[in-house]
């Protein structure tokens, strides 16, 4: 690992442990995600500490994926860490996409404020299942766009849009006669209306997850991201790194949950000895060590693939399944080891359990990734027989 990444990661970890973790008891954390006032306060502190948006260097270049992995893992040591350091979803993935696809003018207007941490963003893709809209299968997209003079007019419904409430930058996906398209929009906009913010199992993302109605939204033609019909191609650029950065952040949170559970098991006595000396407890924590190490290695392997320039679609699917399921086992065992304390709000272990459970759904549930990998196995077998 490079020296620059190690130094950045060390600064991020020190900031999260010393400055961010005390905020975990702050009343502004909220059921639909931390309040924007709390996010701004934390980002001001991160800016002062020199750890805001640490994965993007002052010249606008990015750390490699392998470097990013150790930095984002450290930011994830607290549920508030990615928000404070500006490494959280969906902003981190949106910054990556805009850095790759946006025009120079679009970068100045939409990307620069995101990198500076002064605004939040949202990615409007998924749609209500009851409408037959896009979810894990983006080809089912129902939201439409049509050209009207020098504007595109967009209509549709979106659901589970993370951070839409309070966001200033939106990336809206819709379909034209050419295929999928992406648009950059300023928020709020009266044509983009929040029907409700959905109650979900997780609570770490500002603005929660909203259901949105888009009614005759007019977007100037120069705010299309790239070209008409190329939206799915651009989504692929964002997809693998975004899957992997989820793994990086949640590995940090699972690591912290393990630290808390280990401390509890060593301090707490029952039946004449510390819990750690009971094999049923000690073995769970040992299994956690194994899962954490395997998750770290899986992330590092996939990051190395992405650093070659490959899209890493299959590799990121494998990593997402393996890491999300391993980290859920870790969080579950931590809850079990800690008993009643584990299901209480006295520590962040119960939140880690909830957040990582939701992570198994986000960016594609395990079943979709396994199905995709099975199709690849079939294609590769047929090619080998030809």
């Amino acid at each position: 690992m490079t020296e620059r990444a190690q130094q950045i990661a060390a600064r991020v970890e020190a900031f999260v442990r010393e400055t961010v973790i005390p905020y975990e008891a702050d009343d502004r954390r909220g059921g639909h995600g931390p309040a924007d006032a709390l996010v701004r306060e934390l980002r001001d502190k991160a800016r002062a500490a020199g750890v805001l948006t640490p994965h993007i260097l002052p010249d606008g270049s990015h750390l490699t994926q392998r470097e990013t992995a150790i930095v984002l893992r450290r930011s994830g040591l607290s549920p508030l860490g990615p928000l404070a350091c500006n490494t959280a979803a969906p902003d981190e993935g949106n910054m990556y996409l805009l850095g790759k696809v946006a025009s120079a003018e679009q970068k100045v207007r939409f990307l620069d404020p995101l990198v500076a941490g002064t605004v939040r963003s949202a990615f409007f893709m998924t749609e209500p299942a009851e409408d037959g809209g896009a979810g894990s299968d983006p080809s089912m997209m129902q939201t439409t766009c049509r050209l009207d003079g020098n504007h595109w007019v967009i209509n549709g419904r979106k659901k589970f849009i993370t951070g839409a409430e309070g966001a200033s930058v939106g990336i809206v996906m819709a379909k034209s006669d050419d295929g999928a398209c992406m648009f950059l929009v300023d928020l709020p906009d009266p044509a983009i209306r929040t029907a409700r913010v959905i109650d979900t199992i997780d609570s770490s993302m500002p603005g929660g997850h909203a259901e949105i109605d888009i009614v005759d939204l007019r977007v100037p033609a120069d705010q299309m991201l790239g070209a008409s019909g190329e939206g799915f191609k651009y989504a692929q650029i964002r997809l693998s790194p975004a899957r992997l950065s989820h793994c990086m952040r949640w590995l940090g949170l699972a690591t912290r949950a393990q630290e808390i559970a280990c401390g509890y098991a060593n301090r707490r006595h029952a039946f004449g000895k510390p819990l750690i000396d009971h094999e049923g407890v000690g073995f769970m924590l040992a299994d956690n060590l194994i899962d954490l190490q395997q998750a770290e290695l899986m992330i590092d392997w996939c990051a190395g693939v992405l650093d070659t320039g490959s899209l890493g679609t299959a590799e990121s699917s494998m990593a997402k399944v393996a890491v999300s399921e391993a980290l859920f086992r870790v969080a579950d065992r931590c809850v079990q080891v800690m008993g009643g304390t584990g299901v209480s709000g006295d520590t962040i272990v119960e939140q880690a359990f909830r957040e990582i459970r939701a992570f198994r759904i986000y960016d594609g549930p395990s079943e979709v990734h396994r199905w995709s990998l099975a199709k690849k196995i079939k294609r590769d077998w047929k090619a080998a027989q030809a």
Side-chain angles (χ1 to χ4, degrees):
M1 184 52 62
T2 65
E3 183 177 351
R4 71 173 182 181
Q6 291 173 339
Q7 291 175 349
I8 294 170
R11 292 200 302 271
V12 168
E13 178 168 356
F15 172 72
V16 172
R17 290 191 183 277
E18 296 167 12
T19 302
V20 176
I21 285 176
Y23 277 88
E24 290 174 351
D26 196 291
D27 290 339
R28 293 171 291 176
R29 287 172 63 195
H32 288 147
D36 280 315
L38 176 57
V39 176
R40 288 192 296 270
E41 185 173 329
L42 287 168
R43 287 188 179 177
D44 285 344
K45 291 180 180 292
R47 190 177 290 109
V51 293
L52 188 72
T53 326
H55 57 295
I56 299 180
L57 301 175
D59 64 359
S61 63
H62 283 242
L63 296 178
T64 67
Q65 287 294 313
R66 291 189 67 204
E67 291 175 319
T68 298
I70 69 166
V71 173
L72 265 61
R73 178 183 179 184
R74 301 314 195 279
S75 75
L77 288 166
S78 167
L80 294 171
L83 297 174
C85 296
N86 200 25
T87 62
D91 293 338
E92 183 268 333
N94 289 342
M95 285 187 273
Y96 185 87
L97 175 63
L98 295 182
K100 296 289 186 182
V101 179
S103 67
E105 293 78 10
Q106 290 171 341
K107 288 178 181 178
V108 170
R109 180 173 171 186
F110 296 102
L111 176 59
D112 288 356
L114 285 173
V115 174
T118 57
V119 301
R120 292 194 292 102
S121 63
F123 192 82
F124 296 76
M125 187 192 79
T126 51
E127 298 172 336
E130 56 269 25
D131 293 349
S136 297
D137 182 357
S139 68
M140 296 170 63
M141 189 169 298
Q142 302 294 311
T143 302
T144 61
C145 58
R146 60 177 178 82
L147 192 60
D148 180 24
N150 63 348
H151 284 71
W152 288 85
V153 180
I154 304 174
N155 283 279
R157 297 178 67 205
K158 299 291 184 179
K159 193 171 184 180
F160 299 114
I161 306 306
T162 303
E165 284 290 283
S168 299
V169 175
I171 301 176
V172 178
M173 286 198 72
K175 64 177 183 180
S176 69
D177 291 339
D178 302 319
C181 304
M182 288 187 182
F183 299 90
L184 288 164
V185 299
D186 294 297
L187 298 174
D189 188 294
I192 300 178
R193 306 166 187 172
T194 300
R196 62 180 176 129
V197 178
I198 304 162
D199 291 330
T200 58
I201 194 173
D202 63 331
S203 58
S204 67
M205 299 178 183
H209 311 285
E211 185 170 354
I212 302 290
D213 292 318
I214 302 176
V215 182
D216 291 333
L217 172 65
R218 297 185 66 85
V219 183
D222 62 2
Q223 288 178 216
M224 175 178 279
L225 192 58
S228 178
E230 298 293 311
F232 288 150
K233 182 176 78 174
Y234 305 144
Q236 288 296 316
I237 293 172
R238 184 185 188 276
L239 188 61
S240 293
R243 286 175 186 162
L244 197 59
S245 60
H246 271 308
C247 296
M248 299 168 189
R249 290 184 292 264
W250 297 131
L251 175 58
L253 187 58
T255 299
R256 172 94 180 290
Q258 171 78 346
E259 292 174 3
I260 294 170
C262 287
Y264 183 90
N266 277 280
R267 290 189 302 269
R268 174 70 162 145
H269 284 65
F271 303 102
K273 56 186 177 181
L275 290 184
I276 189 70
D277 291 336
H278 294 278
E279 286 187 353
V281 173
F283 283 12
M284 281 193 283
L285 295 173
D287 284 338
N288 278 359
L289 278 183
I290 295 167
D291 273 335
L292 288 168
Q293 183 64 53
Q294 289 176 332
E296 182 177 354
L297 292 171
M298 199 76 177
I299 291 168
D300 189 62
W301 163 72
C302 183
V305 171
L306 296 182
D307 282 337
T308 68
S310 169
L311 284 177
T313 304
E315 291 85 355
S316 66
S317 282
M318 287 187 271
K320 203 274 182 177
V321 171
V323 173
S324 66
E325 295 185 357
L327 298 187
F328 180 71
R329 292 192 296 268
V330 170
D332 183 60
R333 293 188 194 110
C334 289
V335 170
Q336 193 72 16
V337 164
M338 295 177 65
T341 301
V343 297
S344 76
D346 288 352
T347 75
I348 56 92
V349 168
E350 66 84 23
Q351 185 182 2
F353 177 86
R354 291 186 287 106
E355 303 291 343
I356 294 171
R357 182 60 186 87
F359 166 44
R360 290 175 59 198
I361 300 295
Y362 299 155
D363 279 4
S366 298
E367 293 72 23
V368 170
H369 291 296
R370 287 187 169 99
W371 172 70
S372 177
L373 290 167
K375 291 199 300 179
K376 180 182 184 301
I377 292 168
K378 182 177 180 180
R379 288 194 306 271
D380 291 349
W381 183 85
K382 285 187 173 181
Q385 307 308 306

